[in-house]
Amino acid sequence: MPDQPPGEAPTTGVVRRSQEQRAQAHPAATPLRCRHCDSPDVEITPGKYAYALHCRACHGSAPLKVRCPACGADAKLERDGARFLAHCRAGHRQLYFTNP
Ligand SMILES: [Zn+2]
Ligand SMILES: [Zn+2]
């Protein structure tokens, strides 16, 4: 029985620890921002089926998901001139956004 040397096992185990700490901003009362370029220079435009958020900086648009500012529930948007009110099932009706 020949004496076999043990195979070389590389023991360069570099343990990488990425300590990501994501600072979560408050979801409530955040101004609307463009999903593409993060610009706050946005306006709400009525779309075919739903309202969309149109960015005046990059001219991108994204469907708008409206949440009630008071309770966070899904809300419908009511247009009043340049102002948009969020109206939720619980009966809240609050100013959601004003178009520039
Ligand atoms: Zn943009
Ligand atoms: Zn509400």
Side-chain angles (χ1 to χ4, degrees):
M1 203 168 179
D3 202 46
Q4 282 194 353
E8 277 186 46
T11 54
T12 51
V14 181
V15 181
R16 279 190 195 176
R17 271 194 187 182
S18 62
Q19 287 187 339
E20 275 187 48
Q21 282 197 345
R22 289 191 182 179
Q24 278 215 341
H26 279 271
T30 46
L32 297 179
R33 283 177 179 275
C34 172
R35 192 187 286 184
H36 306 287
C37 70
D38 205 36
S39 167
D41 191 11
V42 292
E43 63 185 0
I44 293 177
T45 57
K48 244 181 184 179
Y49 305 103
Y51 287 98
L53 197 65
H54 176 251
C55 174
R56 308 205 302 170
C58 75
H59 299 290
S61 66
L64 185 62
K65 179 114 175 128
V66 181
R67 290 279 170 86
C68 171
C71 67
D74 286 348
K76 286 188 175 180
L77 220 51
E78 291 178 10
R79 185 171 190 178
D80 178 23
R83 302 193 311 153
F84 291 87
L85 305 169
H87 188 198
C88 82
R89 282 186 196 171
H92 301 128
R93 181 180 273 140
Q94 295 204 355
L95 179 64
Y96 183 75
F97 188 76
T98 304
N99 268 355

mmCIF file of all heavy atoms in Angstrom, residues 34 36-39 55 57-60, ligand 1:
data_model
loop_
_atom_site.group_PDB
_atom_site.id
_atom_site.type_symbol
_atom_site.label_atom_id
_atom_site.label_comp_id
_atom_site.label_asym_id
_atom_site.label_seq_id
_atom_site.Cartn_x
_atom_site.Cartn_y
_atom_site.Cartn_z
ATOM 1 N N CYS A 34 -39.463 60.629 -10.004
ATOM 2 C CA CYS A 34 -39.399 59.830 -11.217
ATOM 3 C C CYS A 34 -38.744 58.483 -10.909
ATOM 4 O O CYS A 34 -37.741 58.412 -10.217
ATOM 5 C CB CYS A 34 -38.604 60.557 -12.288
ATOM 6 S SG CYS A 34 -38.274 59.544 -13.734
ATOM 7 N N HIS A 36 -37.356 56.682 -13.023
ATOM 8 C CA HIS A 36 -36.207 56.453 -13.900
ATOM 9 C C HIS A 36 -34.983 57.258 -13.475
ATOM 10 O O HIS A 36 -33.883 56.735 -13.406
ATOM 11 C CB HIS A 36 -36.571 56.794 -15.339
ATOM 12 C CG HIS A 36 -37.797 56.075 -15.819
ATOM 13 N ND1 HIS A 36 -37.810 54.733 -16.112
ATOM 14 C CD2 HIS A 36 -39.062 56.516 -16.019
ATOM 15 C CE1 HIS A 36 -39.024 54.378 -16.498
ATOM 16 N NE2 HIS A 36 -39.815 55.431 -16.444
ATOM 17 N N CYS A 37 -35.204 58.529 -13.222
ATOM 18 C CA CYS A 37 -34.040 59.384 -12.945
ATOM 19 C C CYS A 37 -34.114 60.016 -11.553
ATOM 20 O O CYS A 37 -33.255 60.811 -11.199
ATOM 21 C CB CYS A 37 -33.908 60.471 -14.000
ATOM 22 S SG CYS A 37 -35.187 61.735 -13.906
ATOM 23 N N ASP A 38 -35.140 59.656 -10.802
ATOM 24 C CA ASP A 38 -35.250 60.109 -9.412
ATOM 25 C C ASP A 38 -35.446 61.612 -9.299
ATOM 26 O O ASP A 38 -35.181 62.211 -8.271
ATOM 27 C CB ASP A 38 -34.023 59.675 -8.613
ATOM 28 C CG ASP A 38 -34.364 59.566 -7.127
ATOM 29 O OD1 ASP A 38 -35.482 59.150 -6.817
ATOM 30 O OD2 ASP A 38 -33.520 59.919 -6.301
ATOM 31 N N SER A 39 -35.897 62.201 -10.365
ATOM 32 C CA SER A 39 -36.117 63.643 -10.322
ATOM 33 C C SER A 39 -37.463 63.941 -9.669
ATOM 34 O O SER A 39 -38.451 63.243 -9.901
ATOM 35 C CB SER A 39 -36.092 64.194 -11.745
ATOM 36 O OG SER A 39 -36.595 65.524 -11.736
ATOM 37 N N CYS A 55 -42.348 62.318 -16.059
ATOM 38 C CA CYS A 55 -41.174 63.057 -15.602
ATOM 39 C C CYS A 55 -40.857 64.152 -16.602
ATOM 40 O O CYS A 55 -40.755 63.914 -17.798
ATOM 41 C CB CYS A 55 -39.991 62.105 -15.455
ATOM 42 S SG CYS A 55 -38.469 62.957 -15.050
ATOM 43 N N ALA A 57 -38.128 65.812 -16.512
ATOM 44 C CA ALA A 57 -36.671 65.865 -16.692
ATOM 45 C C ALA A 57 -36.214 64.881 -17.760
ATOM 46 O O ALA A 57 -35.460 65.235 -18.651
ATOM 47 C CB ALA A 57 -35.964 65.579 -15.377
ATOM 48 N N CYS A 58 -36.685 63.655 -17.678
ATOM 49 C CA CYS A 58 -36.238 62.639 -18.642
ATOM 50 C C CYS A 58 -37.369 62.203 -19.561
ATOM 51 O O CYS A 58 -37.159 61.372 -20.423
ATOM 52 C CB CYS A 58 -35.642 61.427 -17.910
ATOM 53 S SG CYS A 58 -36.873 60.353 -17.135
ATOM 54 N N HIS A 59 -38.562 62.751 -19.356
ATOM 55 C CA HIS A 59 -39.723 62.472 -20.194
ATOM 56 C C HIS A 59 -40.127 61.009 -20.136
ATOM 57 O O HIS A 59 -40.781 60.503 -21.052
ATOM 58 C CB HIS A 59 -39.482 62.893 -21.644
ATOM 59 C CG HIS A 59 -39.205 64.365 -21.785
ATOM 60 N ND1 HIS A 59 -40.160 65.327 -21.590
ATOM 61 C CD2 HIS A 59 -38.052 65.033 -22.044
ATOM 62 C CE1 HIS A 59 -39.614 66.516 -21.758
ATOM 63 N NE2 HIS A 59 -38.330 66.368 -22.020
ATOM 64 N N GLY A 60 -39.747 60.348 -19.096
ATOM 65 C CA GLY A 60 -40.218 58.990 -18.895
ATOM 66 C C GLY A 60 -41.532 59.020 -18.149
ATOM 67 O O GLY A 60 -41.912 60.031 -17.552
HETATM 68 ZN ZN ZN B 1 -37.085 61.080 -14.974
#
